[in-house]
Amino acid sequence: MPCRIEPAPSPPRDARAPLPEPLGWIDGELADLAAGDLLRPQRIRSGRQAARVVLDGRELVNLGSNDYLGYAGDVRLTKAASKAACAEGFGAGASPLVSGHSQAHENLEQAIASLLGVEAALVFASGFAANSATIAAVAGPGDAIYSDERNHASLIDGCRLARAAVHVYPHRDLAALERLLATTAARRKLVVTDTLFSMDGTIAPLPDLCDIARRQGAILLVDEAHATGVFGARGSGLVEETGCDDGVHIRVGTLSKALGAAGGFVAGPGRLVEWLRHKARAWIFSTAHPPAVAGAAARAIELVGRESERRRELRALSAAFRERLTARGVDIGGAEAQIVPVIAGEPAAALALAERLAAAGFFVPAIRPPSVPVGRSLVRASLSWLHSEADLARLADALGQ
Ligand SMILES: *Cc1c(COP(=O)(O)O)cnc(C)c1O
């Protein structure tokens, strides 16, 4: 005879007892971050990006922006933005495929394709969206992606979105990459890399990567976020600088850094861009960015073409700065461009160094995990054409102490 189990009577609910707090766990997690010196406070900037910046009311020499050519605060971009906004209104109002793609967007995509010397370009709301959506559109289950261990978060997230097999190779280790490519089977193989690495200031060996991709029948996607506007005779990036136009299949760049505007782009053969129009979800299912942004970005591309002295001068400033640091025995970890990290080690050491530099008048942000590997916390100086040699010499002295 089956026994009957009486349900336990539920206790009367005490109306005064506190409800469980569904987000209560966050306090504990934040406390753990604080204990590891990993909290990320929000600073407030007053005024525009320039050689000096006011952060939380304190004016400091600004080594903490990606405004490499000084266009972010340039009134010529503001005017171009106003002009586009006056002609086309502020909001784009729809995704590009519906009715959001304005004449300003069309002009911008043509300007990008022409700057890079490729058939076509597609503009995304951000470089992050361009990377993540493009990787997921080009690779999927059954495919394999090969990714440098120091790649940017947007490339890493693209790999995850693609649901392909992901093989991470040691930073710029060509032998390891070729071994992985040769010993793994996949329907399609995609190699992804930053060209100028955002935390290390190191440069990917593009000609060798092209050779390996060609030998192994792989697609090569490169992220030029920090190189767009800075490298190449025309200013289109390291692919141009190294003459790798034919060996790189997919070029991603951003309008938000040296170009001083906002948004990202993918550029390459017409068939690639046509495919992305059908498959890049962050482009299809997202509102086009405001025409004003497209107008400002197109103006920046024009200026990059006309003011090539800015990238020459920036590169000379950067080389002199790196030499000063190396001469003083400072560990810049192999940096070779306008991004110059100084390795501190633990998060607390990076924070202390950043604070000491702020006391000397310099904003050089501390970068900690997960932006960099554990044990490699650093302060990162991002140089701009706007900087004076005198300020950079003083900074090198401060870092040398
Ligand atoms: C900043 C950055 C991006 C993202 O570009 P946004 O336009 O800022 O979204 C992509 N890749 C790298 C390497 C970056 O540093």
Side-chain angles (χ1 to χ4, degrees):
M1 172 147 189
C3 69
R4 252 181 77 124
I5 301 175
E6 294 291 339
S10 50
R13 190 173 167 79
D14 181 350
R16 287 159 308 172
L19 288 168
E21 174 49 75
L23 297 180
W25 55 270
I26 290 177
D27 299 352
E29 294 284 335
L30 286 174
D32 287 350
L33 289 179
D37 297 303
L38 294 173
L39 279 189
R40 296 172 174 243
Q42 180 67 72
R43 302 176 189 92
I44 301 176
R45 193 189 78 232
S46 328
R48 60 183 70 185
Q49 289 287 4
R52 281 160 204 270
V53 69
V54 178
L55 287 176
D56 294 336
R58 196 175 183 191
E59 184 179 298
L60 300 168
V61 179
N62 182 11
L63 283 303
S65 90
N66 306 307
D67 182 23
Y68 301 127
L69 299 177
Y71 291 134
D74 191 315
V75 70
R76 294 173 293 180
L77 267 61
T78 314
K79 284 184 180 158
S82 317
K83 199 172 151 207
C86 289
E88 299 176 359
F90 190 77
S95 62
L97 281 175
V98 180
S99 62
H101 185 75
S102 69
Q103 188 63 50
H105 295 95
E106 181 61 25
N107 296 348
L108 173 60
E109 288 180 349
Q110 288 179 13
I112 293 167
S114 138
L115 172 70
L116 271 66
V118 296
E119 286 175 6
L122 195 65
V123 167
F124 288 70
S126 70
F128 198 109
N131 270 330
S132 52
T134 300
I135 293 174
V138 171
D143 298 332
I145 308 177
Y146 306 82
S147 173
D148 188 292
E149 67 178 353
R150 300 277 170 85
N151 276 345
H152 188 257
S154 54
L155 294 171
I156 295 170
D157 283 10
C159 295
R160 292 174 180 161
L161 270 177
R163 289 174 295 144
V166 179
H167 304 279
V168 176
Y169 59 91
H171 186 44
R172 300 192 295 180
D173 187 335
L174 297 167
L177 169 62
E178 183 142 35
R179 208 158 43 238
L180 277 169
L181 277 162
T183 54
T184 48
R187 181 183 63 151
R188 263 179 236 147
K189 297 182 175 183
L190 172 66
V191 177
V192 299
T193 183
D194 285 17
T195 59
L196 172 51
F197 286 85
S198 53
M199 298 300 158
D200 302 82
T202 48
I203 291 177
L206 281 180
D208 296 325
L209 287 170
C210 291
D211 285 345
I212 291 175
R214 192 176 303 118
R215 275 201 298 276
Q216 300 293 335
I219 306 166
L220 180 56
L221 177 153
V222 305
D223 176 3
E224 296 257 53
H226 293 275
T228 307
V230 177
F231 286 90
R234 296 192 311 275
S236 78
L238 278 158
V239 172
E240 181 196 350
E241 175 95 16
T242 54
C244 288
D245 303 67
D246 292 337
V248 173
H249 309 102
I250 306 176
R251 289 154 80 174
V252 182
T254 183
L255 306 164
S256 338
K257 289 176 178 157
L259 297 183
F265 62 82
V266 179
R271 59 154 75 93
L272 166 72
V273 167
E274 185 59 14
W275 177 246
L276 294 178
R277 282 202 185 94
H278 290 84
K279 294 292 171 186
R281 291 166 64 84
W283 184 83
I284 298 169
F285 296 103
S286 188
T287 302
H289 65 7
V293 174
R299 181 76 170 116
I301 287 178
E302 208 183 304
L303 295 173
V304 158
R306 195 176 309 154
E307 300 179 340
S308 58
E309 69 281 1
R310 290 202 182 194
R311 53 185 161 276
R312 271 201 311 279
E313 289 165 18
L314 169 62
R315 290 169 66 177
L317 274 178
S318 308
F321 181 64
R322 294 192 310 270
E323 267 165 40
R324 279 179 195 280
L325 290 178
T326 312
R328 283 166 177 71
V330 177
D331 178 8
I332 61 169
E336 43 193 331
Q338 78 278 12
I339 297 171
V340 185
V342 173
I343 316 296
E346 291 310 306
L351 289 173
L353 178 53
E355 197 36 58
R356 186 166 70 68
L357 294 169
F362 299 96
F363 174 53
V364 193
I367 313 276
R368 295 160 292 159
S371 307
V372 288
V374 171
R376 261 188 78 84
S377 288
L378 47 89
V379 298
R380 180 181 58 172
S382 301
L383 273 55
S384 167
W385 173 81
L386 296 167
H387 289 132
S388 70
E389 271 175 58
D391 276 344
L392 294 178
R394 283 198 305 117
L395 174 58
D397 286 342
L399 281 165
Q401 278 164 20

